[in-house]
Amino acid sequence: MHEIILCKLGEVVLKGLNRHSFESKLMSNIRRRTARYGRFLIYSRQSTVYVEPRDENCDLAGAYGVCRQVFGVIAVARAMPCEKTPEAIFDNARTYLGEALSGAKSFKVETRRADKTFPMGSIQLSQWVGGALHDAFPHLAVDVHHPELTVHIEVREDAAYVHAPSEPAAGGLPVGMGGRAVSLLSGGIDSPVASWMIAKRGVQLEMIHFASPPYTSQPAREKVIELARELVPWTGRLNVHIIPFTEIQEEIRRACPEDHFTLIMRRFMMRLADRLAQELHCRALVTGECLGQVASQTMDALRVTGDVTELPVLRPLIGTDKEEIVRLARHIGTFETSILPYEDCCTVFTPRHPQTHPRVEEVREMEQTLDVEGLCQRAMDGRESILLK
Ligand code: ATP
Ligand code: MG
């Protein structure tokens, strides 16, 4: 018999009547993500998704790793099936969890019995296997309240299973269930983290990036694609839409007051993201903005940049500190790439004294001299989309 993977569902189980669609979305995400590690049978029972190898060629460790990164799963465990007798179950626990049992100081056994025809009750089976394990590992104390190790037994129709201790997984909600949004991805630390946080809440993202060649380089552009690629194990497939931004920036520099460069540039970013959202049926924008972090992220500045779109702008980092963001970036796996020293289009033409308390009416007025529509249209026409799987 083969070892299998158990994925414990998180909040999904709280969703009442929608639960079925949440579960099937989660299962299809797990199916797609594990496919590269072999052929697996995937099904759900009692708040758990089972990932079962169909043949010898499956890479279970690989599949286990990806299951930990699928949003909607709060914990994962490996389990070993065996024959449905108390002796076989004990023997399975003793060998399969031998190392964990030897290393622990206290333990308990917990049984779930889906097969009601099994001759022993759950408590009775737990006690029987617990007693036998205690004899086999005499150093172990039984502690039903705070055991260091819980040995899980499940008795099902086809077999009995012994679970290894579970490990925490990604949590959140299955991607795709929360609709779609356009996420503004720069090469910085913040926007990949913001994207990850919104994907974690079940949102399918379309990534948009603004590049200003020759002011921004090819390596800077590749860095952003790499960041998106590092998000894929969490989010599933991602599109990165790269928008040429040079003409817009040069026009702003030519026609607008220097202290408003960054703000007007950010307004163009929001306009273009809004257009992409309309085109791709996305219902929100996502940014890595954080209150007070830079001049363009004061409340007044956010009012000005948010002015050009009617879509909700999701800013999951708004109340976080840099330290917290860095910790998350490391956990996600984007930090090392983010700190590579390439320029972003935000860092070209930066004003010496940026306006921190801009007024919407004034900024609208300044833009009167620009051909906003033409600039946006040409930028959208010049875009390039890259699909990452
Ligand atoms: P980050 O670390 O995400 O770059 P930041 O603190 O450097 O953020 P800004 O440079 O002011 O802040 O950018 C604010 C937000 O605007 C970013 O988090 C990102 O969502 C978006 N943004 C900035 N530059 C770009 C870009 N070149 N392409 C796409 N989005 C961008
Ligand atoms: Mg930045």
Side-chain angles (χ1 to χ4, degrees), residues 186-191 297 344 346-347:
S186 71
I189 298 172
D190 304 339
S191 48
Q297 295 174 19
D344 181 64
C346 289
T347 55

Side-chain angles (χ1 to χ4, degrees), residues 118-228:
F118 189 75
M120 279 180 171
S122 318
I123 296 173
Q124 211 185 351
L125 180 62
S126 294
Q127 284 172 346
W128 193 93
V129 174
L133 286 172
H134 193 257
D135 291 343
F137 299 88
H139 74 283
L140 274 178
V142 176
D143 182 345
V144 291
H145 298 297
H146 305 288
E148 208 176 298
L149 176 67
T150 302
V151 174
H152 295 274
I153 298 171
E154 236 185 87
V155 183
R156 294 215 327 247
E157 307 301 325
D158 46 341
Y161 294 82
V162 171
H163 303 197
S166 60
E167 290 187 281
L173 302 170
V175 167
M177 229 185 49
R180 291 144 64 82
V182 169
S183 185
L184 288 81
L185 185 66
S186 71
I189 298 172
D190 304 339
S191 48
V193 174
S195 304
W196 180 87
M197 287 175 78
I198 296 302
K200 180 173 176 177
R201 299 311 300 165
V203 176
Q204 169 88 53
L205 298 178
E206 295 286 337
M207 313 308 276
I208 190 169
H209 175 69
F210 306 97
S212 296
Y215 305 106
T216 62
S217 63
Q218 185 67 20
R221 171 195 153 102
E222 271 151 26
K223 170 185 173 178
V224 172
I225 296 169
E226 181 56 27
L227 283 171

